[in-house]
Structures are given as structure tokens and as C-alpha cells.
Amino acid sequence: MTAAAHTQPGSGARFEWGLAGAAELSRVCAVLVVVDVLSFTTAVEVAVGRGTRVHPFPWGEQAAEYARRIGAVAAVGRRSVVPEQPWSLSPAALAAAPAVRELVLPSPNGSAISAAASATGLPVVAACLRNARAVGRWLHRQGYGTTHAPIGVVAAGERWPDTSLRPAVEDQLGAAYVLDALSRVPGGLSVEAALALAALASTPDVPAAVRGSVSGRELAEGGFAADVEMAVQVNVSDVVPVLRNDVFSAA
């Protein structure tokens, strides 16, 4: 198989997994859509909907230093939230915390993918179950989805302990909702995108599937069921966060 085939040529909407998949599609697509339902892109949708500009950042302790440098607030881990530092990757915590103008939001998956894609100069859209239809409509209005301006949809996935990619049910379903909104793009769907979309047909109750998934159960059992409940709300938001110049803001 040639390297060119990996980019799913000849289609208007394409689908891949993880950081490596995003890097491949970034070479040929006009826009990238990142889906990390639990919880980065859901957190971005919530924060941007409250007027916050979100700076994605790879997971690590350097986020606080970067935030100080640009005059922003740095989000902390879910379990590190205190009254003086209520901002975290938790969508529920972000919804309850005071709104800030600038927020640095690190995560090991969706944030790292978004930051890497932004470095290529591509616009990057944060999509989740909450805003999938709105994202699809915005992409249509911008003229994306032709063979000359293809859309790359990337399911972030999770990580195994050895850091290898673990495909995640919630991200495939989130991507499927975006692809459903793109099913009539002029360039059509690649085989990979069409098969990702097919997940919806076999999942009659998407919120229940996400709640029962490994990631959903892990969060709920860890005391963050409220994050799962926010994330499983389908098409309730018109917010379309677009990453340009290293910051997500409303389209």
C-alpha cells in the first residue's frame, strides 16, 4: 500500500484515529475535526460557549508555566480541583466555575492532537456529541467537503498503559454523528468514514452506550458521572469551537 492511499484520496470527508491518524490527514485535508467526547472536546464546547478562549496544550506540568506566560488560567486535573482553582478537564466543573477569558486546557489525547494539527496551519474544529450537528452545518457553510477541500474527522481515542492507542466507543460515536451531518458532502465519504458512520445504525441508544463504555464507567466509578451526563447530550449546542492561531474560539 502506498503512503498516498493512507490519506483516503478522492473523498470529501475522511476518518482516522489518534495522533498518527491526525498527522496523516493533516497533510491533505483543508480542515480537521477532532472528537474527544470524554472529555476534551466536550470541555472545549462548554468553555467556548461561555465566552472563554481555550488554548490546547499537551498533557504535562508545563501547562501552568505556559498559562502564566500568556496571561491565562491553567486547568488542573479533575482530582486537583479546589475552590481557588475550579477549572479542570471536567465539563461539569467548567460549567460551574467562574468564566475566564483565557484558559489553557491540557489533555493527553484531544488537546495534544489539536495542538499538533494547529502547528500545520489547518483550522481545527472541536466536536462532541453536544455540537455534532452544528459542526456539520458550519463545515457545509464554509464550503468544505469537496475532493479539493476535504474534511478530516479524527476520533482521539484513549491510551493503554504503554501509551498505545485504545479506540474508544464514545469517540467513534461522536465522530459518527459528525459524519452523519456530512453524509451529503459533494465529495462523499471515504470507506473508513462510511464504516465509522455505520456505528450509529447499530447503536439505538447512544447515551446508554457511552455510559456503559469503558471510559464512561471509569469516569462514573471515579466520581465524575456528571461529566458523562453532560457529554451524552446529543445535538443540544450550536457552539462551534474553531482553533486558529493556537486558540479555540466560537466560529
Side-chain angles (χ1 to χ4, degrees), residues 194-247:
L195 288 173
L197 170 57
L200 287 184
S202 59
T203 312
D205 190 338
V206 167
V210 175
R211 291 186 191 103
S213 69
V214 170
S215 302
R217 292 171 64 182
E218 182 180 38
L219 278 177
E221 290 169 7
F224 298 100
D227 286 344
V228 181
E229 291 310 306
M230 287 196 73
V232 299
Q233 297 176 42
V234 178
N235 291 327
V236 297
S237 171
D238 291 326
V239 176
V240 180
V242 181
L243 179 65
R244 292 192 177 95
N245 300 319
D246 303 324
V247 61

Side-chain angles (χ1 to χ4, degrees), residues 103-222:
L103 179 70
V104 174
L105 187 63
S107 90
N109 301 304
S111 189
I113 292 169
S114 299
S118 178
T120 69
L122 279 185
V124 179
V125 182
C128 57
L129 291 171
R130 294 169 58 87
N131 70 346
R133 182 170 55 202
V135 166
R137 289 174 175 172
W138 182 84
L139 291 165
H140 275 293
R141 290 196 301 269
Q142 300 303 307
Y144 295 118
T146 67
T147 55
H148 299 292
I151 300 161
V153 179
V154 178
E158 296 292 344
R159 301 273 184 177
W160 289 111
D162 66 358
T163 74
S164 62
L165 174 71
R166 176 175 70 77
V169 166
E170 68 277 7
D171 293 343
Q172 180 166 358
L173 291 170
Y177 269 107
V178 174
L179 291 164
D180 185 51
L182 298 175
S183 58
R184 296 184 181 179
V185 292
L189 304 183
S190 69
V191 170
E192 288 77 8
L195 288 173
L197 170 57
L200 287 184
S202 59
T203 312
D205 190 338
V206 167
V210 175
R211 291 186 191 103
S213 69
V214 170
S215 302
R217 292 171 64 182
E218 182 180 38
L219 278 177
E221 290 169 7

Side-chain angles (χ1 to χ4, degrees), residues 47-118:
V48 168
R50 303 183 74 209
T52 297
R53 286 160 41 95
V54 177
H55 302 255
F57 199 81
W59 195 251
E61 296 179 0
Q62 297 85 2
E65 175 56 35
Y66 177 71
R68 282 192 293 271
R69 209 163 58 237
I70 65 171
V73 168
V76 296
R78 280 183 173 87
R79 299 187 184 282
S80 299
V81 166
V82 293
E84 301 77 25
Q85 180 61 284
W87 305 278
S88 79
L89 191 59
S90 160
L94 286 179
V100 293
R101 177 60 180 161
E102 310 281 342
L103 179 70
V104 174
L105 187 63
S107 90
N109 301 304
S111 189
I113 292 169
S114 299
S118 178

